[in-house]
Amino acid sequence: MAKKPDISPSQVQRSPLPIQAPKQPEQLQQKVIPVSTDENLKSVQPSQLKASKDGVVMNAIAGWNRNLQVKDVYYDLYLPPQLKENPNPQRPCLVVLPGWDFPRTSWVENTNLVDFADRYGYVLLLPEMDKTLYASTYHPETTLKWHSIPGGEFIKTAFIPTIQKRHQLLLPGQHNTLLGLSTGGRGVALLALENPGLFVAGASLSGDFSQENTPEDRLMTALYGPFSQFQSRWLGRDNPQARAAEWTMPLYLSHGTADDVVPEPQSRLFFNAIKQQQSSAVVEYHPVAGAGHDYPYWGSQLEAVFKFIDQPR
């Protein structure tokens, strides 16, 4: 695999960005009625993994459903009012992944994501992923543990099955989609690879996909151990670019050329790797000249993102 000479290891240091003031605070103050707990889920039995054809999202009110939990991990669910009144049998749903150490609310507080969800009719699922790299497993050398379950494994074995039973969302055959920024953009790639066929489209903004190109990265070292000793881990299951030959999900990639947190070649070389392995793959790459690692840029991409993920697949 080609090395990226234009990426400095010191550049991939994820640090929280200052959260801007909410653009639409009125949307964040809606009354919330708690949904049923797992123990009280009578409306959806474990054997009912095929969604009903009426399109109703179970155990959710119109608007915000906040502070729900899966294995002590919080998530919020936004149900556009029109979907409550006129359910869509496809249950269009967007799993929204935040950046490293960003709160799950940051997408909503800093962009007009809810406006697009209302316009296009998408349920939003926002899990609190905190400081995870979406790993599949921990190792004896792992000192960075986001939860008792690694982030990628948590989404696959806990979050998705619970959402399927609790809300009749993220079921096979529905219009399930992904959106992530920065480390969350990496999460989009790994969730698509670890759950093949479940998601019909995704978008990754400012993501990182090939950790071997930054072998001194402190976070990756804390998860996988030193690159010099454990190259197979760095180049294995949790390396999206190394798994380009497996890629199937339509993907929208974008990256700012002035990004000083995650270098732009991370997205460009991931795009090239997929196209080299699978020339027919539906993957788009949109570098944005002069854009950095910030919400003004990420928010500006939402129109194009929704147009991409909303296409019939």
Side-chain angles (χ1 to χ4, degrees):
M1 184 178 299
K3 297 290 183 180
K4 300 198 289 287
D6 46 354
I7 296 179
S8 167
S10 62
Q11 288 181 288
V12 188
Q13 301 298 330
R14 303 163 182 81
S15 58
L17 298 178
I19 301 301
Q20 302 169 9
K23 291 185 177 181
Q24 297 172 314
E26 69 278 3
Q27 292 180 321
L28 306 180
Q29 304 299 324
Q30 299 182 36
K31 182 178 179 181
V32 174
I33 300 174
V35 302
S36 303
T37 62
D38 288 339
E39 291 77 12
N40 295 322
L41 288 179
K42 305 300 183 183
S43 56
V44 182
Q45 300 301 318
S47 61
Q48 293 177 291
L49 289 182
K50 288 187 177 180
S52 60
K53 295 181 180 180
D54 58 15
V56 172
V57 177
M58 305 301 296
N59 295 299
I61 62 168
W64 283 106
N65 300 260
R66 296 190 181 281
N67 299 321
L68 313 178
Q69 293 187 56
V70 177
K71 289 189 178 295
D72 300 323
V73 175
Y74 286 100
Y75 73 94
D76 297 336
L77 183 155
Y78 178 75
L79 176 59
Q82 70 268 30
L83 284 186
K84 189 69 174 180
E85 298 170 4
N86 300 291
N88 183 339
Q90 281 292 302
R91 293 177 178 83
C93 182
L94 180 64
V95 178
V96 183
L97 304 178
W100 171 264
D101 202 21
F102 284 21
R104 66 186 185 275
T105 57
S106 61
W107 265 108
V108 173
E109 292 171 343
N110 293 281
T111 73
N112 54 348
L113 177 64
V114 172
D115 284 347
F116 284 99
D118 285 338
R119 188 196 311 175
Y120 284 85
Y122 275 69
V123 177
L124 301 178
L125 285 170
L126 296 90
E128 190 74 90
M129 300 310 293
D130 196 33
K131 297 178 181 180
T132 180
L133 296 176
Y134 299 90
S136 58
T137 189
Y138 292 139
H139 306 279
E141 294 75 20
T142 300
T143 59
L144 175 65
K145 293 187 177 181
W146 160 79
H147 188 275
S148 60
I149 308 172
E153 188 68 7
F154 166 78
I155 294 288
K156 181 177 181 178
T157 63
F159 186 75
I160 290 174
T162 299
I163 297 302
Q164 290 174 337
K165 295 176 183 178
R166 184 179 288 171
H167 302 298
Q168 286 204 331
L169 294 169
L170 301 184
L171 288 165
Q174 294 178 348
H175 196 83
N176 308 316
T177 61
L178 294 163
L179 170 64
L181 63 84
S182 194
T183 305
R186 169 186 176 83
V188 166
L190 286 172
L191 296 190
L193 288 164
E194 290 294 312
N195 301 274
L198 183 62
F199 296 99
V200 301
S204 176
L205 310 179
S206 310
D208 57 295
F209 310 99
S210 52
Q211 55 263 29
E212 78 280 6
N213 289 296
T214 55
E216 302 300 324
D217 186 285
R218 294 175 301 159
L219 300 182
M220 296 296 177
T221 300
L223 180 58
Y224 302 112
F227 176 73
S228 60
Q229 298 178 41
F230 303 103
Q231 292 189 27
S232 62
R233 296 177 186 171
W234 287 61
L235 293 167
R237 181 176 174 182
D238 293 347
N239 187 310
Q241 186 166 308
R243 299 177 63 181
E246 302 174 42
W247 195 262
T248 59
M249 184 187 75
L251 179 65
Y252 179 96
L253 287 167
S254 183
H255 214 122
T257 62
D259 193 324
D260 60 358
V261 178
V262 179
E264 178 273 333
Q266 284 279 349
S267 291
R268 172 165 41 88
L269 292 183
F270 183 46
F271 169 77
N272 290 340
I274 294 175
K275 283 299 189 180
Q276 288 170 5
Q277 294 284 346
Q278 303 189 60
S279 59
S280 62
V282 181
V283 182
E284 298 181 4
Y285 179 46
H286 301 274
V288 178
H293 200 82
D294 51 47
Y295 274 106
Y297 156 61
W298 296 323
S300 73
Q301 290 295 299
L302 288 178
E303 182 77 62
V305 164
F306 272 85
K307 286 181 179 179
F308 181 86
I309 66 173
D310 197 50
Q311 295 178 35
R313 305 294 182 185

